[in-house]
């Protein structure tokens, strides 16, 4: 066995070094590796199997043309051994889990049991089967990344197996499985750009409920790395097919809330959760979020007030989109109970002086969106906000962002009274037209145009001679 392992390792090393030049010898090399990969004689040799899949991966990457006749057989072995776990009766549990998926009350118990098993097996040094599963996963990833011409076949044969393996008990292998599916989604994105009517999008849409079903279970796990990986996959899914989760919003919201509120959550996970929520808000219909506003609003406001600047900045970006979703045009949703708390959360960051520049700019942008969208509910409280915006307009570092915020407020269909700062704001904006900063000049000119269009009849505006 040692000699065989060395031989298989040598094939992989030669392919990495010689590249395509090994291609003409594949009719002799590949059948040999296949024989060692799935041979009852070496049934207990996990290291040999790992070496075989590593060799396959190298051959796929280095000899993409010559390996083509053998891909179907290699994929078959990958799909078999990605589930190889002789010390854990996973297949039976998967079937049981699928039968229980319709029962929400029983869905949590298997997750807890699986978490317990995962923790128990993590210290089992004798179990090397996870290395076989990991190498099989990476080999599949190599096929997905290098063979866009096989995308349809991959969706038919490989994708369902990858989805079923989201429940993998070994965390490192699970993250590699997530990575393989992300590679598949990226290949789908490339195919869609070339052909908007690509069949792969239809296949992806059919698989979406199972994808979400598998990932929502992972979002309830204790492992931070697992949840970060799940959010990364969901972001890629939404990027490839905006709006694809419209009917699945209620399934992913609990995972977002859990990750933002869990005491054991680290900053990376919070940022991933907020980033996914931001993408979700920008790519799905506003009314899909209305049933969840009561749940989401406190979590977003808490993130806005976080001491870590990256979480606070991402929270403000999410809040900006959340406000737009609260009051889309023609909505009958009762948003009024949430307006004051949202405004105060943003105003607190707007007033703060000793905060990061990114947070300052996000707060200015966010308050501009809040006032332009919900300003008629805040008429009595806007004077403080306008004074701060005027101060930010006079600050060289924040003035471009403040100009855009004033422009947005002026464009609003709401009747927002800017009279207290109108005269001084116009003078500042007019002064910016003399500056050399091109972006500042363009933004100021646009803002002046919006102000004159909206408030041209206002005495404060007409009194300015510029």
């Amino acid at each position: 066995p040692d000699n065989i392992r060395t031989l298989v390792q040598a094939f992989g090393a030669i392919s990495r070094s010689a590249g395509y030049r090994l291609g003409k010898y594949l009719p002799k090399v590949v059948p040999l590796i296949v024989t060692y990969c799935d041979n009852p004689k070496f049934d207990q040799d996990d290291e040999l199997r790992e070496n075989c899949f590593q060799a396959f991966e190298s051959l796929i990457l280095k000899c993409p043309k010559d390996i083509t006749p053998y891909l179907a057989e290699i994929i078959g072995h990958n799909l078999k051994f990605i589930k190889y776990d002789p010390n854990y009766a996973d297949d039976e549990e998967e079937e049981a889990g699928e039968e229980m998926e319709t029962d929400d009350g029983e869905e949590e118990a298997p997750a807890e049991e699986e978490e317990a098993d995962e923790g128990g097996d993590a210290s089992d040094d004798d179990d090397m089967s996870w290395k076989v599963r990991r190498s099989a996963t990476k080999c599949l990833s190599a096929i997905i990344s290098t063979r866009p011409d096989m995308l349809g076949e991959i969706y038919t044969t490989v994708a369902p197996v990858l989805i079923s393996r989201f429940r993998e008990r070994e965390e490192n292998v699970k993250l590699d499985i997530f990575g393989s599916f992300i590679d598949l989604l990226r290949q789908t994105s490339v195919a869609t750009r070339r052909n908007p009517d690509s069949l792969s999008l239809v296949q992806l849409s059919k698989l979406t409920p199972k994808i979400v079903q598998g990932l929502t279970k992972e979002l309830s796990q204790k492992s931070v790395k697992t949840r970060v990986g799940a959010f990364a996959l969901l972001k890629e899914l939404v990027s490839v097919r905006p709006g694809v989760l419209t009917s699945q919003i209620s399934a992913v919201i609990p995972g977002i809330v859990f990750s933002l509120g869990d005491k054991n959550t680290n900053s990376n996970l919070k940022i991933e959760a907020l980033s996914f929520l931001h993408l979700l808000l920008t790519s799905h219909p506003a009314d899909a979020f209305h049933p969840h506003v009561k749940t989401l609003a406190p979590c977003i406001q808490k993130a806005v007030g976080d001491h870590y600047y990256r979480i606070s900045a991402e929270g403000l970006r999410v809040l900006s989109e959340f406000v737009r979703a609260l009051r889309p045009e023609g909505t009958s949703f009762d948003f009024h109970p949430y307006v004051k708390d949202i405004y105060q959360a943003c105003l607190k960051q707007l007033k703060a002086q000793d905060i990061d520049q990114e947070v300052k700019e996000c707060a200015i942008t966010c308050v501009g969106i809040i006032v332009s969208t919900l300003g008629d509910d805040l008429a009595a409280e806007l004077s403080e906000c306008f004074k701060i915006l005027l101060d930010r307009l006079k600050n060289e570092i924040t003035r471009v962002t403040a100009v855009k915020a004033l422009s947005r407020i002026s464009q609003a269909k709401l009747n927002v009274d800017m009279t207290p700062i109108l005269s001084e704001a116009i003078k500042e904006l007019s002064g910016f037209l003399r500056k050399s900063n091109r972006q500042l000049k363009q933004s100021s000119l646009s803002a002046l145009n919006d102000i004159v269009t909206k408030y041209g009849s206002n005495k404060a505006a007409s009194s300015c001679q510029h």
Side-chain angles (χ1 to χ4, degrees):
D2 288 342
N3 292 337
I4 295 172
R5 282 197 293 267
T6 304
L7 175 64
V8 174
Q9 286 174 342
F11 286 143
I14 292 169
S15 70
R16 285 189 289 273
S17 301
Y20 70 92
R21 290 186 289 274
L22 185 62
K24 60 183 179 180
Y25 300 104
L26 291 192
K28 295 181 179 178
V29 171
V30 174
L32 197 60
I33 300 175
V34 168
T35 302
Y36 295 138
C37 175
D38 193 10
N39 190 327
K41 184 178 178 182
F42 308 110
D43 197 43
Q44 302 299 317
D45 198 337
D46 290 341
E47 187 179 348
L48 175 58
R49 285 204 177 100
E50 180 190 15
N51 292 337
C52 288
F53 286 118
Q54 287 173 343
F56 282 143
E57 180 188 0
S58 180
L59 291 170
I60 289 163
L61 293 172
K62 297 297 184 178
C63 310
K65 183 179 178 181
D66 298 293
I67 198 73
T68 300
Y70 309 99
L71 282 178
E73 188 176 11
I74 292 172
I75 289 173
H77 287 295
N78 279 308
L79 295 180
K80 177 181 178 180
F81 285 100
I82 198 174
K83 297 182 275 189
Y84 172 71
D85 199 353
N87 300 322
Y88 187 70
D90 190 51
D91 288 338
E92 289 76 14
E93 288 202 13
E94 280 186 20
E95 291 172 8
E98 287 171 4
E99 291 172 7
M100 296 166 66
E101 274 160 2
T102 54
D103 191 340
D104 292 334
E106 294 180 317
E107 199 170 341
E108 195 67 27
E112 291 173 2
E113 289 170 13
E114 186 172 296
E115 185 69 33
D117 285 335
E118 184 176 332
D121 282 333
S123 60
D124 187 359
D125 296 331
D126 297 329
D127 182 16
M128 292 289 105
S129 64
W130 66 271
K131 290 187 176 183
V132 177
R133 300 195 299 276
R134 184 180 64 177
S135 57
T137 302
K138 289 184 175 181
C139 188
L140 282 175
S141 189
I143 295 171
I144 291 167
S145 301
T146 58
R147 302 308 298 251
D149 55 304
M150 295 179 64
L151 204 55
E153 183 182 342
I154 289 170
Y155 264 110
T156 303
T157 58
V158 176
V161 177
L162 286 176
I163 294 168
S164 72
R165 295 307 303 165
F166 286 170
R167 64 180 75 239
E168 164 67 47
R169 65 190 177 93
E170 179 65 38
E171 186 175 69
N172 291 330
V173 182
K174 183 184 293 186
L175 294 176
D176 284 330
I177 290 169
F178 288 168
S180 294
F181 207 90
I182 288 172
D183 289 338
L184 177 57
L185 291 172
R186 287 173 180 164
Q187 286 287 20
T188 307
S189 179
V190 172
T192 305
R193 285 197 293 271
R194 292 173 180 167
N195 178 17
D197 299 322
S198 173
L199 181 62
S200 57
L201 277 182
V202 178
Q203 294 172 304
L204 176 60
S205 296
K206 289 179 181 178
L207 289 173
T208 297
K210 289 184 178 179
I211 295 170
V212 174
Q213 191 175 338
L215 291 178
T216 49
K217 188 175 180 181
E218 301 309 316
L219 289 176
S220 66
Q221 302 287 1
K222 294 178 182 178
S223 168
V224 170
K225 286 183 179 179
T226 295
R227 283 185 276 166
V228 168
F231 279 127
L233 200 160
L234 283 169
K235 282 199 297 183
E236 199 66 41
L237 175 64
V238 173
S239 298
V240 172
R241 195 76 190 267
V244 72
L245 298 182
T246 301
S247 60
Q248 309 282 336
I249 294 289
S250 58
V252 297
I253 293 296
I256 296 171
V257 173
F258 175 55
S259 293
L260 291 176
D262 184 18
K263 292 180 180 178
N264 298 321
T265 299
N266 64 19
S267 57
N268 287 338
L269 178 54
K270 284 186 178 179
I271 291 167
E272 281 293 325
L274 288 167
S275 177
F276 171 59
L277 180 55
H278 181 266
L279 188 59
L280 212 58
L281 286 163
T282 55
S283 59
H284 290 72
D287 56 2
F289 298 93
H290 290 168
H292 310 286
V293 167
K294 189 174 182 180
T295 305
L296 287 173
C299 296
I300 298 172
Q301 291 161 24
K302 185 178 179 183
V304 167
D306 198 278
H307 295 298
Y308 184 39
Y309 78 96
R310 288 187 61 197
I311 295 175
S312 181
E314 195 63 46
L316 285 162
R317 281 190 279 267
V318 171
L319 187 61
S320 299
E321 297 302 328
F322 185 67
V323 167
R324 289 190 175 109
L326 269 183
R327 194 180 187 180
E329 193 170 344
T331 184
S332 59
F333 177 70
D334 182 19
F335 57 87
H336 303 287
Y338 309 100
V339 174
K340 296 289 174 67
D341 289 340
I342 286 173
Y343 174 70
Q344 289 300 325
C346 184
L347 186 65
K348 182 180 178 182
Q349 295 297 74
L350 184 69
K351 291 194 294 188
Q353 297 287 346
D354 55 340
I355 55 173
D356 186 84
Q357 177 67 18
E358 184 182 1
V359 179
K360 284 184 180 179
E361 292 181 354
C362 288
I364 294 167
T365 301
C366 186
V367 84
I369 292 171
I370 291 172
V371 174
S372 63
T373 308
L374 308 171
D376 52 346
D377 267 33
L378 298 164
E381 304 177 42
L382 290 180
S383 57
E384 182 182 11
C385 166
F386 284 147
K387 287 178 183 176
I388 298 171
L389 278 179
L390 191 60
D391 288 340
R392 301 293 180 265
L393 191 66
K394 295 176 181 178
N395 187 313
E396 186 175 352
I397 298 174
T398 56
R399 61 190 181 188
V400 173
T401 311
V403 168
K404 292 178 180 178
L406 290 174
S407 181
R408 182 176 283 108
I409 294 169
S410 302
Q411 291 171 4
K413 295 180 179 179
L414 305 178
N415 187 21
V416 180
D417 184 14
M418 288 177 59
T419 304
I421 64 164
L422 206 54
S423 177
E424 200 165 349
I426 291 173
K427 289 178 183 177
E428 290 291 332
L429 290 168
S430 302
F432 293 158
L433 298 178
R434 304 187 188 95
K435 301 292 183 182
S436 59
N437 187 325
R438 184 175 179 180
Q439 184 186 7
L440 179 62
K441 288 167 75 172
Q442 288 177 332
S443 299
S444 299
L445 195 59
S446 178
L448 283 168
N449 179 62
D450 293 332
I451 289 172
V452 170
T453 302
K454 181 77 175 281
Y455 303 101
S457 59
N458 188 290
K459 290 181 181 180
S462 59
S463 66
C464 294
Q465 302 297 321
H466 290 283

